[in-house]
Amino acid sequence: MFFLKDLPTRQMLQSYGERYPGMDAEAVAGALRLLRRGSLLMRALEAYFTAHALSQTRFLVLIVIDREPGQGGAGQGESGQGGLLASEIADRLDISRPVVTDTVKALVRAGLLGSAPVPGDGRAKRITVTPAGGAVLADLLPGYFALIADFMACEDEGAG
Amino acid sequence: MFFLKDLPTRQMLQSYGERYPGMDAEAVAGALRLLRRGSLLMRALEAYFTAHALSQTRFLVLIVIDREPGQGGAGQGESGQGGLLASEIADRLDISRPVVTDTVKALVRAGLLGSAPVPGDGRAKRITVTPAGGAVLADLLPGYFALIADFMACEDEGAG
DNA sequence: GCCTATTGATTAGCATCCTAACTATAGGGA
DNA sequence: TCCCTATAGTTAGGATGCTAATCAATAGGC
């Protein structure tokens, strides 16, 4: 999260540019807008998920498993017929393994994910989305898309 | 932070669009790019600050006080001659008061900020940047600007 | 058949953010 | 003066992220 509410004015950036000759004021201004706008959207999404007993991370774990090809039928992909290993989730999500462990544990407790041993490998577990988990996703997605559309419609939001 | 590495393909978004008629695939694609790119930049900045014994939040607290008009000379603004109250920092930064308390405490311990009671008000403290704090800022800013310029020069970074 | 390196997952310890509740000071009105 | 409210800051407790270290199972070399 990027916490600066009021981005520096053009004038302020220019004065930095004089003090630090290598600085590209245009790039910095763009980067700060990117950070601020992204953070505002993240805050809004996090609030949405919190209001529905989830979090951004838990939602993404659900989505990432759910969108895997072969979840309900055909069945292939790098790990077999649907579901993912914890390490595959970590690969797709850019979060650390321990966070995957904890998040999956919480979602299994909540009944939204299932966990089953992998026949050929005693170390691994295959994580799948339960029907309840699928229902939660189906419930949340319309509001998620609406929130995003709302946010993106407001071009200057967070630009100061 | 937004953790999804591989953003959904256009095709995947379209299939969601069919299942959820209200969805604006263009807006969603744009929002995910925004989140991903913003998160990558945040990760890079956080790593930079960590390598220099700071954090994004601490850096912003320093910057926000330092850029306040009247820091070194003229002296006006809503709270007098330079520095800010903790509550003013929280206002500018969109972080909660307790985080300001802890962050300022850490920076005072590190010698980068100073804290002085406000004459007229027994509750408040005025937080100022010490010379050491100013030196740290001056040290970090060139690398900070360079990192940002690098990142912004790579237009597609994080777009999958 | 063992020894070692690798891989999947977890545990432990730490940092940092939040909300809610609290203490202390300030200020305004009866 | 007394009280009620508002404001500045802190404390307490919980959630969530990270890295480093650990356990367990697999795979390869000899």
Side-chain angles (χ1 to χ4, degrees), chain A residues 2-23:
Chain A
F2 180 74
F3 298 118
L4 192 61
K5 272 182 182 165
D6 300 308
L7 301 186
T9 59
R10 184 167 306 271
Q11 185 190 356
M12 205 180 299
L13 281 175
Q14 279 183 351
S15 101
Y16 273 115
E18 285 158 23
R19 246 188 295 168
Y20 301 94
M23 184 189 124

Side-chain angles (χ1 to χ4, degrees), chain A residues 1-8 12 16 19-20 23-24 27-28 30-32 34-39 41-43 45 56-57 60 63-64 66-67 90-95 137-138 141-142 144-145 148-149 151-152, chain B residues 1-8 12 16 19-20 23-24 27-28 30-32 34-39 41-43 45 56-57 60 63-64 66-67 90-95 137-138 141-142 144-145 148-149 151-152:
Chain A
M1 301 285 294
F2 180 74
F3 298 118
L4 192 61
K5 272 182 182 165
D6 300 308
L7 301 186
M12 205 180 299
Y16 273 115
R19 246 188 295 168
Y20 301 94
M23 184 189 124
D24 176 350
V28 170
L32 297 183
L34 168 69
L35 290 170
R36 183 63 189 150
R37 195 161 158 74
S39 291
L41 179 50
M42 272 191 274
R43 286 250 152 130
L45 290 174
Q56 180 106 234
T57 300
L60 286 177
I63 281 279
V64 133
D66 190 58
R67 85 180 185 187
D91 288 345
R92 283 161 178 68
L93 282 189
D94 196 16
I95 59 183
L137 271 184
L141 280 169
Y144 174 76
F145 292 139
I148 286 179
F151 183 89
M152 295 304 280
Chain B
M1 301 287 291
F2 180 74
F3 297 117
L4 192 61
K5 272 181 182 166
D6 299 308
L7 302 186
M12 203 181 301
Y16 274 115
R19 248 189 293 169
Y20 302 95
M23 185 191 125
D24 177 349
V28 170
L32 297 183
L34 168 69
L35 289 170
R36 183 65 188 148
R37 198 163 155 72
S39 292
L41 179 50
M42 272 192 276
R43 285 251 153 128
L45 290 173
Q56 179 106 233
T57 301
L60 287 176
I63 281 278
V64 133
D66 189 58
R67 84 182 187 187
D91 288 345
R92 283 161 178 70
L93 282 190
D94 195 16
I95 58 183
L137 270 184
L141 280 170
Y144 174 76
F145 292 139
I148 286 179
F151 183 90
M152 295 305 279

